Amino acid sequence: MKLALLLFLLAADQLPEAPGKATFVKVCSTCHGPEAVTGMGHDRAGWKDLVSDMVDKGAVANEKQVSEIVDYLVRAFPKKPR
Ligand code: HEC
């Protein structure tokens, strides 16, 4: 197993459990680890924009997967109160 993949799986283990996590990990793991999102918090519109941005960059996800990922991110990484 490649070290990067191992590290990724370790990091994925720290992610909050919620529906859509598996899709998020699968689709969003190809270019960077999940730590790219863990410090962040957005509302639904913000995560939607970000995921479309990642699809523009080359993330491969169909419409159903995109909505699963957005649902997961909204639940696991909500917008932080200021
Ligand atoms: C095809 C490669 C690729 C895939 C797949 C990918 N990303 Fe990214 N992502 C990037 C690149 C390149 C950057 C850094 C460049 C940038 O910030 O514009 C980035 C940066 C980010 C950032 C930091 C943005 C910021 O403003 O600091 C987040 C959050 C993120 N990605 C989330 C995701 C999510 C969620 C997914 C799954 C839907 C995903 N990425 C899938 C390429 C990808």
Side-chain angles (χ1 to χ4, degrees), residues 20-76:
K21 178 175 168 178
T23 310
F24 162 68
V25 168
K26 189 168 120 208
V27 171
C28 304
S29 68
T30 24
C31 304
H32 48 67
E35 69 279 358
V37 307
T38 47
M40 300 186 111
H42 290 296
D43 57 13
R44 180 167 291 271
W47 280 124
K48 237 182 172 156
D49 276 1
L50 193 133
V51 172
S52 345
D53 193 38
M54 292 300 138
V55 171
D56 286 346
K57 288 194 205 309
V60 181
N62 61 31
E63 231 170 274
K64 182 167 169 280
Q65 289 172 313
V66 165
S67 81
E68 280 172 18
I69 293 165
V70 172
D71 284 349
Y72 172 72
L73 291 169
V74 170
R75 189 179 296 197

